[in-house]
Amino acid sequence: ETVLILRSLASLEDLYLNRLAIRLNEAVGVAFQGGNRSPPGLTEGINISRTVANELDSAKFDPLLVRTVAKSVKTCLDGMMSRVDGLIARDRSSLSLVGPTATAQQLVNASLATCLYNCWSRIGKLEEEYPAIVFNAIKPSLKVGSY
């Protein structure tokens, strides 16, 4: 009987994790739907971090499930970083300071930095609420030193 119950719970857990991945990727997709013309900013960073916090909070009751959710969050945040990497302007006009106004490339980079800062700072506050093993699964995605 125990084996049957565990197998049925495993299928429910797989379904839950698939829907979780869809919700997380949807939050990132909505944030980046504007592309270069309308890059994600403050609101999008807050929405992504709120989705992450809600998903971790809903799995908090089961220590093994919350670890698995944290791994899904890491995968989603890594995907978000690859999308950010594709939007970062690296040409000369993004680095030059000519005139009193910012260039379009500088505005895109500033908007991306705002999104990342707000997302990472809010997710970083979750470290106090979860065991170290859970937060350590997410932590590599929070280090953006190479960007």
Side-chain angles (χ1 to χ4, degrees):
E1 290 179 15
T2 306
V3 173
L4 292 174
I5 291 173
L6 289 176
R7 284 186 184 164
S8 64
L9 288 177
S11 64
L12 288 174
E13 183 177 334
D14 288 341
L15 180 63
Y16 175 78
L17 292 173
N18 287 335
R19 289 187 182 190
L20 164 82
I22 290 169
R23 283 191 297 268
L24 290 171
N25 290 327
E26 183 179 304
V28 171
V30 167
F32 286 87
Q33 72 185 0
N36 236 1
R37 285 182 239 148
S38 178
L42 172 76
T43 306
E44 291 82 2
I46 291 171
N47 289 340
I48 291 169
S49 64
R50 188 176 296 145
T51 303
V52 167
N54 288 342
E55 296 305 331
L56 285 170
D57 192 46
S58 66
K60 204 178 206 179
F61 68 93
D62 183 1
L64 296 177
L65 181 62
V66 77
R67 283 189 213 168
T68 309
V69 168
K71 290 177 186 176
S72 294
V73 166
K74 181 198 177 306
T75 303
C76 177
L77 292 177
D78 289 343
M80 178 180 144
M81 287 309 299
S82 66
R83 291 180 91 167
V84 166
D85 191 37
L87 290 178
I88 294 175
R90 293 182 173 89
D91 59 349
R92 180 178 164 86
S93 61
S94 66
L95 302 173
S96 64
L97 299 173
V98 179
T101 60
T103 64
Q105 292 84 356
Q106 290 169 338
L107 294 175
V108 167
N109 286 350
S111 183
L112 291 171
T114 301
C115 175
L116 290 177
Y117 173 77
N118 283 287
C119 186
W120 283 191
S121 66
R122 291 173 186 270
I123 292 173
K125 292 178 184 176
L126 297 176
E127 185 172 14
E128 300 166 359
E129 295 181 31
Y130 296 95
I133 195 162
V134 172
F135 198 76
N136 287 341
I138 301 171
K139 196 177 276 189
S141 295
L142 297 179
K143 295 184 179 184
V144 293
S146 62
Y147 293 97

